[in-house]
Amino acid sequence: MSDPTVEIDAYEEQALAGLESCNEPAALEAWRIEHLGSKGRLKAMMPLVKQAPPEARRDVGRRLNELKQRLESAFGERTVASAGSPPPGIDLTEPGLVSVEGRRHVLTATIDRIVEVFGRMGFEVADGPELEDEWHNFTALNIPPEHPARDRSDNFFLGGESAGHRLLRTQTSTVQIRAMEATPPPLRVIAVGRVYRPDAHDATHYSMFHQVEGLAVDRDLSMVDLKSTLVGFAKAFFGAEAEVRMRPSFFPFTEPSAEVDMWMPVKGTWQWVEIGGCGMVDPAVFEAVGIDPSEWSGFAFGLGVERVTMRRHGLGDIRRLFENDARFLRQF
Ligand code: DAH
């Protein structure tokens, strides 16, 4: 009778060599059935235990168990290796590229929502240049020549006379003038953009920020239309609980004029927040752009985008909005 150990060794060698040459799933499956299947060759070797002399049975049994484990694990490894084998030149152990998901800047997200809400209320987006002339930034807006807002130290003027007294606009109210010059009434426009003022940077001041400007020109518009527009906006933007409060004020381009406060959530707690100015378009402004104030009326408003955004999210420092620190911006 042949030595069962020799027979098992010979079989193991042969089976593993056969496995080595299996390069595709079908061959691997055929090998599995031939060797590890319920009617396979490994199973067929089990009687060797009984056939062995009693004193050798334990060893033969242990050897067969070992054989089974080796074939199974060799098969497992071979299956993984053949399935996952990458094309030449590709190293699967290299760290992957982490894909970074971008997002809108918190100010952009606020602006987009403001434009969307006013859009639903019939306001079209109007645009104007950031580099303006004194006519659009002051004169047409009824800001007289001696007005302190025109002071050199309160504006970014470029190059004096030769540059035609051009300046970086200090308010988006300039777009009111541009819209009325471009389109005959009636009209309803909203303009969003950057404005510039030479303020020293601190927690609440920055030399550039964003405003939203609204203008409606039609027959028989009144403060009621102005207030209902602002209330409609506040409720759509902040929720049904929102309210608008107007406090008498003065702006050269509106008469009467008011400061606008909105009852809005500040980090979840409702509060009054001052967010801009508004009023009825001053007849002098209509005259500047050739619109007859006895026929047409209008209202206008200007809101601070940073102010709304900062109060809403409870941000204490405007500079954070412009530092582009992704760790800060990712939280919105
Ligand atoms: N332009 C003003 C500012 O920058 C804000 C403003 C007030 C705009 C009243 C308006 C308005 O359209 O009617 O402070």
Side-chain angles (χ1 to χ4, degrees), residues 139-193:
T139 313
L141 286 165
N142 197 34
I143 299 174
E146 70 284 1
H147 196 280
R150 292 184 182 241
D151 203 285
R152 301 263 124 189
S153 62
D154 285 337
N155 294 281
F156 285 114
F157 273 101
L158 278 88
E161 297 289 344
S162 59
H165 293 293
R166 293 211 288 171
L167 74 160
L168 293 175
R169 68 180 178 196
T170 56
Q171 49 186 353
T172 47
S173 302
T174 53
V175 186
Q176 290 186 33
I177 304 304
R178 293 199 170 266
M180 289 188 285
E181 284 171 335
T183 317
L187 66 107
R188 278 175 169 242
V189 291
I190 191 95
V192 192

Side-chain angles (χ1 to χ4, degrees), residues 179-210:
M180 289 188 285
E181 284 171 335
T183 317
L187 66 107
R188 278 175 169 242
V189 291
I190 191 95
V192 192
R194 297 176 173 207
V195 298
Y196 301 84
R197 293 178 194 179
D199 285 330
H201 293 181
D202 62 24
T204 52
H205 296 87
Y206 209 79
S207 51
M208 182 278 298
F209 54 96
H210 298 75

Side-chain angles (χ1 to χ4, degrees), residues 1 4 49-58:
M1 198 185 181
V49 181
K50 275 192 192 150
Q51 291 159 16
E55 69 279 7
R57 275 183 199 159
R58 260 185 79 150

Side-chain angles (χ1 to χ4, degrees), residues 35-198:
H35 296 278
L36 304 175
S38 54
K39 292 175 186 152
R41 291 175 63 181
L42 181 65
K43 203 71 174 261
M45 304 199 78
M46 293 305 161
L48 286 177
V49 181
K50 275 192 192 150
Q51 291 159 16
E55 69 279 7
R57 275 183 199 159
R58 260 185 79 150
D59 283 347
V60 175
R62 190 183 301 139
R63 181 69 186 94
L64 280 171
N65 262 337
E66 209 178 82
L67 170 68
K68 180 168 184 265
Q69 272 166 22
R70 282 199 205 155
L71 292 186
E72 279 173 351
S73 76
F75 173 76
E77 278 167 29
R78 185 82 195 144
T79 306
V80 170
S82 76
S85 87
I90 291 185
D91 180 359
L92 290 181
T93 64
E94 271 198 7
L97 296 174
V98 180
S99 66
V100 180
E101 198 186 330
R103 64 182 64 215
R104 279 182 303 176
H105 190 284
V106 62
L107 286 177
T108 312
T110 308
I111 288 170
D112 288 352
R113 269 199 70 216
I114 292 173
V115 168
E116 199 246 332
V117 169
F118 279 115
R120 274 190 268 139
M121 296 169 79
F123 286 80
E124 280 175 46
V125 173
D127 206 0
E130 292 178 20
L131 184 55
E132 265 294 7
D133 49 51
E134 289 189 87
W135 165 259
H136 289 94
N137 202 80
F138 301 121
T139 313
L141 286 165
N142 197 34
I143 299 174
E146 70 284 1
H147 196 280
R150 292 184 182 241
D151 203 285
R152 301 263 124 189
S153 62
D154 285 337
N155 294 281
F156 285 114
F157 273 101
L158 278 88
E161 297 289 344
S162 59
H165 293 293
R166 293 211 288 171
L167 74 160
L168 293 175
R169 68 180 178 196
T170 56
Q171 49 186 353
T172 47
S173 302
T174 53
V175 186
Q176 290 186 33
I177 304 304
R178 293 199 170 266
M180 289 188 285
E181 284 171 335
T183 317
L187 66 107
R188 278 175 169 242
V189 291
I190 191 95
V192 192
R194 297 176 173 207
V195 298
Y196 301 84
R197 293 178 194 179

Side-chain angles (χ1 to χ4, degrees), residues 14 21 25 27 45 109 125 129 134 144 155 175 180 189 193 206 214 256 260 280 282 301 303 308 331:
Q14 191 200 350
S21 62
M45 304 199 78
V125 173
E134 289 189 87
N155 294 281
V175 186
M180 289 188 285
V189 291
Y206 209 79
V260 180
M280 301 307 293
D282 194 291
F301 53 87
L303 313 174
V308 173
Q331 67 183 308

Side-chain angles (χ1 to χ4, degrees), residues 141 143 170-174 176 195 197 209 211-215 226 250-260 275-281 299-304:
L141 286 165
I143 299 174
T170 56
Q171 49 186 353
T172 47
S173 302
T174 53
Q176 290 186 33
V195 298
R197 293 178 194 179
F209 54 96
Q211 288 185 334
V212 177
E213 192 82 15
L215 171 72
L226 169 58
F250 175 80
F251 296 101
F253 33 88
T254 42
E255 181 58 35
S257 304
E259 303 282 346
V260 180
I275 67 165
C278 69
M280 301 307 293
V281 178
F299 63 77
F301 53 87
L303 313 174

